[in-house]
Amino acid sequence: MSAPLFLVEALPTGDTLTLDGPEGHHAATVQRLRVGEELLLADGRGGTAAAVVTTVGRGTLDVRVTSRGYADAPVPRIVVVQGIAKGDRGELAVQAMTEVGVDEIVPWAASRSVTQWRGDRGVRARDKWVATAREAAKQARRPWLPVVAGAPDESTGTVVRRIAGAGAAFVLHEEAEERLTTAELPGTGEIVLVVGPEGGIAPVELTAFADAGARPVRLGPSVLRTSTAGVAALSVLATRLGRW
């Protein structure tokens, strides 16, 4: 089994580090790491440091760095515009998409989203997506932490502008004739993928996205839930782009 990954604000410049705070508590108290065990530190921006535990304290670990590394950011960048879903479906989507390699997630206030993020509720909901992405990135041993955009959510107009500036953009739609498995992909820039909420994408939204340059695509004959459609599409893109 690979060494567990812990996120830090900045990697140590020297050969030693005391891992404390929530990550130290998780390492020492929850995972019960012991002297001599290995772990991986990451700054969420591509930098990593392999380390070995030298001392275990109360909710803290002292570690010694054994090697350092850096992973370039994937190109092209994959951005998923995720329609806000009710209950925990949005968080399930964020978790799975992070595990398979999404680079940015944009919460989208679609017209058919049952749940609307407003005021403090919206801030708390977005914070849950951020926390979910962080924990999923650690579980997946990802050196790059995906960005969760939005303040806290984005309007259709903002998504349209994002699509217009992308290298390619696709909208998952059950009535589309083109398949994502054969659609032309760019070698650089961003690929924007739009996933609708439970109620689907409204015709006016689909038209606005198409006018901005997005192409409706489908994955197959099945109609997927909003919590699974994004991860299925990301799996296709990861394979076609050589990430997998």
Side-chain angles (χ1 to χ4, degrees):
M1 185 175 179
S2 59
L5 182 145
F6 298 93
L7 288 166
V8 294
E9 288 298 320
L11 294 172
T13 56
D15 294 333
T16 61
L17 172 76
T18 297
L19 187 65
D20 53 14
E23 293 293 78
H25 171 77
H26 189 239
T29 307
V30 179
Q31 293 205 3
R32 296 180 180 273
L33 295 183
R34 295 295 178 255
V35 173
E37 291 192 270
E38 296 179 345
L39 56 84
L40 190 65
L41 303 171
D43 60 10
R45 300 178 296 278
T48 59
V52 61
V53 178
T54 57
T55 307
V56 179
R58 191 179 182 87
T60 67
L61 293 178
D62 290 332
V63 303
R64 175 173 52 82
V65 175
T66 57
S67 65
R68 301 175 186 274
Y70 180 80
D72 291 329
V75 178
R77 223 169 152 263
I78 303 177
V79 179
V80 174
V81 175
Q82 174 68 52
I84 296 172
K86 64 181 179 180
D88 63 352
R89 292 180 183 175
E91 291 167 43
L92 290 173
V94 170
Q95 177 182 3
M97 291 190 297
T98 298
E99 291 177 1
V100 299
V102 70
D103 298 304
E104 183 175 351
I105 302 169
V106 179
W108 169 39
S111 63
R112 292 179 177 175
S113 289
V114 175
T115 300
Q116 297 293 323
W117 289 2
R118 294 291 183 268
D120 291 342
R121 178 186 181 183
V123 173
R124 290 193 300 270
R126 180 187 175 277
D127 286 347
K128 283 186 178 180
W129 281 29
V130 172
T132 298
R134 180 183 178 89
E135 292 306 310
K138 290 168 58 178
Q139 175 66 33
R141 291 11 175 216
R142 286 191 55 176
W144 282 90
L145 185 62
V147 175
V148 178
D153 55 2
E154 298 289 4
S155 67
T156 296
T158 302
V159 174
V160 164
R161 290 190 290 274
R162 189 68 179 261
I163 288 171
F170 305 101
V171 182
L172 296 184
H173 198 275
E174 61 188 86
E175 297 179 2
E177 296 183 1
E178 186 177 10
R179 293 180 180 270
L180 185 59
T181 51
T182 57
E184 184 178 354
L185 303 178
T188 59
E190 288 186 349
I191 297 175
V192 175
L193 180 72
V194 181
V195 181
E198 296 97 325
I201 298 174
V204 65
E205 293 167 335
L206 186 61
T207 298
F209 295 156
D211 288 346
R215 307 205 303 273
V217 294
R218 64 185 304 165
L219 293 169
S222 300
V223 177
L224 303 181
R225 289 179 179 271
T226 187
S227 56
T228 55
V231 68
L234 281 166
S235 299
V236 172
L237 292 177
T239 302
R240 294 194 58 200
L241 294 170
R243 294 193 182 191
W244 287 10

